[in-house]
Amino acid sequence: MSKVKIKGTTKITGVFGYPIIHSLSPVFQNSAFEYLNLDFVYIPLEVKPKDLKKAVDAIRIFNWVGINVTIPHKKEVIKFIDELDETSKILGVVNTIHNVNGKLKGYTTDGEGFIRSLKEDGKFNPKNKNIFIIGAGGSSYAICGALINEKINSIFITNRTFENAIKLREHIVTKLNFKNIKIIEFEKRNEQTIWENIDLLINTTSVGMKENDPLLIKKENIEKVRFVYDIVYNRKTELLKTAEKLKIPYLNGLSMLVYQGAISFEIWTGRKAPIDIMKKSIYEKIET
Ligand code: ATR
């Protein structure tokens, strides 16, 4: 349990979301502040969509240092802040706001959080690798963009709604200027030939969050990959259970959650985030 002491000097950070009660960010951010003896606090802030502008005004009025922005505000919030980093501009989303003398700068740390998690926790370097991604939602956009920055070789994307996969391909080819991408119809995702050279399999969908959710990729295909990443973090998914049985290294979304938060922490405090402390606090809270 965090023992953050609030004083007149305490710098305030937090998260805007709706709903917010399940957020794990206050747990690991406050543990990190406490560990480094920083005079900061992180609070959950429930913000209804209709109140988002007023909530952003409050950042300026109360001079809060930093705010994370989560579902459903990541796109909408852009309208109300002053400046965007390159990734936020490309993706059209913000998950971190930094208040510098009343000027609000937006960042998006999900993609970089994913990469740091993959490299540091997973000891897997995506450079020159062939990647198979399930999903074409917001997380997939962030992860694809970050992987392309890491000089991967190729991406295969499948998605339940093919039209969304087409849109993602368009984004990758035109905005990110990456051509070695193939989209695969959902019904054809298990065709064996696709799987001959895949190094890394990533699930970016919510499939796996519920107990009876199906395994979307056949075991004989999973068997061929070298690393499995599932961004779901509330339970060990069928995908991760299968990877474990096959002795394939894997990570779940808790790792990405902590690293994306760690990058926010570093933006706000200018200090290196104590990753191990953050992880420990969260693993104590959640059983995986
Ligand atoms: P996020 O921001 O977390 O990525 P999102 O933008 O709502 O969330 O995207 C959710 C992703 O999970 C999408 O790729 C979605 O597929 P559709 O484009 O077909 O909606 C995928 N998804 C959600 N439920 C799914 C299911 N039951 N089976 C397969 N894919 C699913």
Side-chain angles (χ1 to χ4, degrees):
M1 206 46 201
S2 177
K3 294 185 265 351
V4 173
K5 292 193 180 61
I6 299 175
K7 298 175 286 196
T9 50
T10 303
K11 294 189 172 66
I12 294 171
T13 66
V15 53
F16 290 173
Y18 188 75
I20 202 65
I21 51 169
H22 300 295
S23 176
L24 290 168
S25 300
V27 176
F28 63 80
Q29 297 289 8
N30 285 317
S31 299
F33 294 146
E34 188 194 346
Y35 178 76
L36 291 180
N37 245 321
L38 298 177
D39 189 14
F40 279 67
V41 67
Y42 187 102
I43 51 178
L45 294 155
E46 184 180 278
V47 175
K48 295 194 176 84
K50 69 174 176 55
D51 295 326
L52 184 61
K53 184 181 180 310
K54 286 186 211 150
V56 175
D57 286 341
I59 303 176
R60 295 188 180 92
I61 292 168
F62 296 115
N63 200 24
W64 295 335
V65 169
I67 289 291
N68 281 136
V69 182
T70 186
I71 292 165
H73 305 308
K74 286 184 183 188
K75 277 197 179 122
E76 193 67 12
V77 78
I78 284 193
K79 285 188 207 156
F80 310 124
I81 60 180
D82 302 310
E83 212 183 300
L84 298 178
D85 78 338
E86 272 316 300
T87 315
S88 298
K89 271 186 213 157
I90 292 171
L91 293 174
V93 292
V94 155
N95 79 340
T96 303
I97 298 173
H98 189 202
N99 178 1
V100 185
N101 304 323
K103 200 167 177 193
L104 304 186
K105 180 158 185 193
Y107 299 82
T108 175
T109 67
D110 291 330
E112 199 191 327
F114 172 83
I115 297 293
R116 270 178 67 176
S117 140
L118 184 66
K119 284 182 171 172
E120 291 176 31
D121 270 1
K123 311 278 176 243
F124 185 93
N125 189 337
K127 189 172 179 193
N128 296 328
K129 300 292 193 298
N130 302 310
I131 325 267
F132 190 102
I133 295 181
I134 315 168
S139 309
S140 186
Y141 274 72
I143 288 172
C144 286
L147 283 168
I148 288 164
N149 283 339
E150 295 294 313
K151 313 253 176 300
I152 54 164
N153 182 53
S154 66
I155 307 187
F156 295 77
I157 295 169
T158 194
N159 193 56
R160 178 181 60 180
T161 310
F162 196 58
E163 214 183 297
N164 292 338
I166 295 173
K167 281 186 197 145
L168 176 54
R169 179 181 58 188
E170 184 68 12
H171 168 86
I172 289 173
V173 172
T174 58
K175 287 207 176 166
L176 308 180
N177 203 22
F178 184 82
K179 310 280 191 264
N180 206 359
I181 169 169
K182 197 166 178 196
I183 51 174
I184 290 148
E185 284 165 55
F186 206 56
E187 302 68 40
K188 296 188 180 158
R189 67 190 183 276
N190 276 304
E191 277 184 6
Q192 273 187 15
T193 49
I194 304 166
W195 292 90
E196 295 310 326
N197 288 311
I198 300 295
D199 301 293
L200 169 63
L201 164 61
I202 308 167
N203 173 45
T204 71
T205 75
S206 48
V207 178
M209 280 175 78
K210 293 192 255 58
E211 207 175 319
N212 293 320
D213 279 353
L215 181 64
L216 294 176
I217 304 300
K218 281 189 187 158
K219 193 174 162 191
E220 57 259 42
N221 291 329
I222 298 174
E223 199 164 17
K224 295 185 181 129
V225 313
R226 292 161 57 183
F227 200 99
V228 174
Y229 202 118
D230 195 334
I231 70 161
V232 171
Y233 61 76
N234 66 324
R235 58 185 294 277
K236 191 178 275 178
T237 61
E238 287 312 303
L239 176 60
L240 295 187
K241 284 182 195 162
T242 308
E244 189 169 48
K245 269 187 219 135
L246 294 168
K247 300 201 164 39
I248 298 169
Y250 64 88
L251 278 175
N252 69 31
L254 269 187
S255 172
M256 176 173 170
L257 181 77
V258 171
Y259 278 95
Q260 60 81 32
I263 300 167
S264 302
F265 178 98
E266 289 171 359
I267 291 169
W268 299 329
T269 65
R271 298 281 298 270
K272 181 135 183 54
I275 289 284
D276 290 340
I277 296 297
M278 294 168 110
K279 276 188 213 153
K280 190 166 162 270
S281 70
I282 214 169
Y283 288 125
E284 276 168 5
K285 176 102 185 154
I286 248 196
E287 271 189 54
T288 45

